[in-house]
Amino acid sequence: MKRNLAVLGVVALLVAALVWAGVQNLRARRLAAEKAKQVPELAMVKEGEAPPTPSVSADNFVGDLDLRGKPAPAFTLSTLDGKKVSLSDYKGKPVLVNFWATWCAPCKLEMPWFEELRKKYADQGFTILGISEDEDEPKEAIAKAANKLGVTYPILLGDHKADKAYGDFAILPMSFYIAGNGTIVEQSAGLGSKDDIESKIKKTIAATGAM
């Protein structure tokens, strides 16, 4: 009995340590994201990497990456087959704009959820636009990755203009939930739970007046 209690105690300590490490990592990533506007050398943080040490202090940071309640920045980007797609094409519809990359492990975890939820709420006008941040990957590799994940929603090729408009974020995935009137209802950085994603989608649909 004592031995079992000791084992349970060790397991509890390990779980607590993992949770603490996760919280610290998230805090570090959020701080890096906040400073991204003024720290050009901050690169996209890949899964398993710690964010680089910024060259400015938090005291020198001025800005706010929270775009909720603000108009979604307009963009026109190309699909993998060369078609032009604009955010304005989806005026009046609830839209999830998701920035992702083929090297981003959390992105590849949530994208099948996106596809499932897109189908679930399609009759309420909900749609998704995936914006690839793969600057050095050929279109064929991006398409292959999206197909492997079962994604059928449009995949667009990102550019620096769109990145800057949406906060020059330093973490992927990055998602923006946009109501039919063009207002950003919710946004999220990093991997969220499926339930949390669905909750944000419902909120966006409700804000559009589709529910």
Side-chain angles (χ1 to χ4, degrees):
M1 183 67 177
K2 291 182 177 180
R3 182 177 181 181
N4 289 339
L5 289 175
V7 171
L8 288 174
V10 171
V11 171
L13 287 173
L14 287 173
V15 171
L18 288 172
V19 171
W20 182 86
V23 170
Q24 296 304 313
N25 187 40
L26 178 59
R27 287 176 177 171
R29 288 183 180 224
R30 283 178 175 170
L31 182 59
E34 288 179 351
K35 295 175 181 176
K37 284 185 177 180
Q38 293 195 359
V39 189
E41 66 268 26
L42 280 179
M44 290 293 179
V45 179
K46 298 184 181 182
E47 179 66 8
E49 290 185 354
T53 303
S55 60
V56 296
S57 69
D59 295 334
N60 293 329
F61 172 73
V62 178
D64 191 352
L65 297 179
D66 188 354
L67 299 180
R68 290 174 297 177
K70 300 177 182 179
F75 60 77
T76 298
L77 300 170
S78 298
T79 62
L80 296 175
D81 56 4
K83 297 179 181 178
K84 294 292 185 180
V85 172
S86 299
L87 180 60
S88 59
D89 296 338
Y90 298 87
K91 184 178 180 180
K93 296 182 178 181
V95 180
L96 166 56
V97 174
N98 171 246
F99 292 85
W100 71 287
T102 58
W103 46 258
C104 170
C107 300
K108 291 186 283 188
L109 282 174
E110 69 179 6
M111 288 171 74
W113 298 341
F114 288 158
E115 180 64 25
E116 179 183 337
L117 294 169
R118 182 194 66 78
K119 293 176 180 177
K120 183 175 180 179
Y121 294 102
D123 60 349
Q124 297 181 64
F126 176 65
T127 190
I128 299 173
L129 297 176
I131 300 181
S132 170
E133 296 293 292
D134 293 282
E135 294 184 358
D136 301 321
E137 287 289 334
K139 296 177 183 178
E140 294 77 15
I142 299 172
K144 182 178 180 180
N147 291 335
K148 187 176 181 180
L149 295 168
V151 168
T152 63
Y153 52 81
I155 297 296
L156 313 179
L157 298 172
D159 61 20
H160 294 295
K161 184 178 179 181
D163 292 350
K164 185 175 181 180
Y166 280 83
D168 243 353
F169 41 84
I171 184 173
L172 289 178
M174 193 79 188
S175 296
F176 298 86
Y177 299 76
I178 304 168
N181 64 358
T183 300
I184 295 177
V185 177
E186 285 286 356
Q187 72 181 63
S188 61
L191 177 66
S193 69
K194 184 179 179 181
D195 288 344
D196 182 59
I197 292 170
E198 185 168 15
S199 176
K200 287 181 170 61
I201 290 172
K202 287 181 177 180
K203 184 175 180 180
T204 306
I205 291 173
T208 302
M211 293 182 70

